[in-house]
Amino acid sequence: MDKFSSRLHIRVSLDGGYHVLDESTHYSSDLRPTAKQLWKPSIGLLELGILNADGIHPTKNRDGKGASDTYCVAKYGQKWVRTRTVLNSLSPRYNEQYTWEVYDNATVLTVGVFDIGKVRIRLSTLETGRIYTHSYPLLVLHNSGLKKMGELHLAIRFSSTSLLNTMRIYSKPLLPKLHYLQPLSIMQKETVEYMSDTESHLWSMRRSKANFFRLVSVFSGLLAAGRWFSGVCLWKNPVTTVLVHILFLMLVCFPELIVPTIFLYSFLIGIWNYRYRPRNPSHMNTRISQADAAHPDELDEEFDTFPTSRSPELVRMRYDRLRSVAGRIQMVVGDIALQGERLQLLLSWRDPRATAIFLVFCLGAAIVLYVTPFTMLAVGGGFYMMRHPFFRYKTPSAPINFFRRLPGRTDSML
C-alpha cells in the first residue's frame, strides 16, 4: 500500500494584490497588481516607431546569396505587437507605429528582431515629449564571442499626461502594497522565479567580473573623494588645503550651514554634469557586460547546459578555477567579518588589557566631552587630521595600532 510521505504547503491569494514576476526584475515592463480593479490611472503614453534595420546578418542561403526573413516583436506591459515579415532582405523596412499606456516609468521596453537580436530601453531615461530617433546595435552573445547582427532604427517618444503624477510616482514603491504588507518568503520568490523562468542563477565568470566592476564604478566617486582629501591632508596643494581649512572652520562654527552646503554642492555638481547627459536612450553596453573581452572558455562555460555536458577534465579545470575565485571572495568576507568582530569584542573582556584600556579611554573621553565645547573638539580634531606632513609619523597612529591588535574569532575557527 502507498503510504503518506509529505505535505504540500500552498498559499493562495484571491484578491490579485500581488504582481506575478513573469519577467526579470531588471527588465520588467509591468509592475501592476494582477487585479485590474487595483490599477492606478496611467501617467503617460509610449509611442514606438519601428522604422528599419540595416546590415542584417544573413541567416539563410537563397540562390547562392545570403538572405534573411525578419520581423520585429515589441513587448511592454501585457501588450505584445508584431510587425509584418520582410522577405529576402538584409535592410528591411517596417515603418510601423505602436502605442502603450504607461503606468510606471521605471519600466523597460523590449524590441526584438527575430531571430537576430533585441534592444532594451528604460522609460525613465527618456525626456518627456522628446522624439528620439536612433539606431541601436543588435548584439548577440554566443559561446564563440560577441557578434553584431545588424542595427535597428527606432523612433520613441514618451509623453506625460500629468507632470505632477509622473514626479509623484518616484515616491511610490515599485511593487503593489501587498508585497510589503504580506511579503513572500525567499523560498516562495525562488519558486515563482523558477516557474516563470525569469532569470538564470547559474555561475558565470563574465557576469561576476561585470558585477565587480559595476561595484567599483559605484564607489569610484567615494574613492576619488578619499584620494582628494588625502592630498589635502598631505598638503600637496597648499592653497587648496588652506581653503579647506577655512571651509571646515566655517562649517564647525556655524553647523547649521552643513546641510545646506551639502545640498548646494550637489546642485552645482548636477548642473555641471548636465552637459554630459546622454543624448540618446541608453542601451545594452558591451563594456559594462564584459562581453567584448570575455575569454572563449568563460563563454563556453556560461552557455553550458545544466547539468553539464562537457568532459570531466574540462569540468575539473573549471571547478578548480571556481574554487580559486571563491577562495579570494571567502578571504575578503573573512576580513570584513574580522573588523566587525573587533568592534564587538571591545567590551567583551576577551582581551582584558585591551578592554581595560578602552574603558579608561571612554571614561576620559566622557569627562572631556562634558566639560569641553563641541566646537573646540571638532576644530581640534579636523586640524589634527589635516596637519602638515612635517608633524606626521610614517608609522601608523596609536588608535590604528590598538584596533589592529584587537582579537577576532579567526583563531577560534577550525
Side-chain angles (χ1 to χ4, degrees), residues 320-346:
D320 290 338
R321 181 176 61 190
L322 180 60
R323 290 177 62 193
S324 175
V325 174
R328 290 194 290 269
I329 297 174
Q330 174 181 283
M331 182 176 62
V332 173
V333 173
D335 290 341
I336 296 174
L338 176 61
Q339 311 310 318
E341 289 172 352
R342 284 172 172 171
L343 289 175
Q344 288 182 338
L345 296 175
L346 272 173

Side-chain angles (χ1 to χ4, degrees), residues 17 53 70 99 194 237 242 284 370:
T70 59
T99 59
Y194 174 76
N237 189 335
V242 171
M284 289 177 281
Y370 273 122

Side-chain angles (χ1 to χ4, degrees), residues 250-299:
M250 181 183 66
L251 294 178
V252 170
C253 295
F254 304 97
E256 64 274 7
L257 297 180
I258 295 177
V259 176
T261 302
I262 293 175
F263 282 109
L264 179 61
Y265 277 13
S266 300
F267 171 77
L268 294 177
I269 293 173
I271 293 296
W272 176 263
N273 291 335
Y274 179 75
R275 59 178 179 172
Y276 303 111
R277 69 190 186 282
R279 302 297 179 179
N280 295 296
S282 58
H283 179 47
M284 289 177 281
N285 192 316
T286 57
R287 180 172 297 179
I288 294 177
S289 306
Q290 295 293 308
D292 55 347
H295 192 272
D297 181 67
E298 296 174 359
L299 294 176

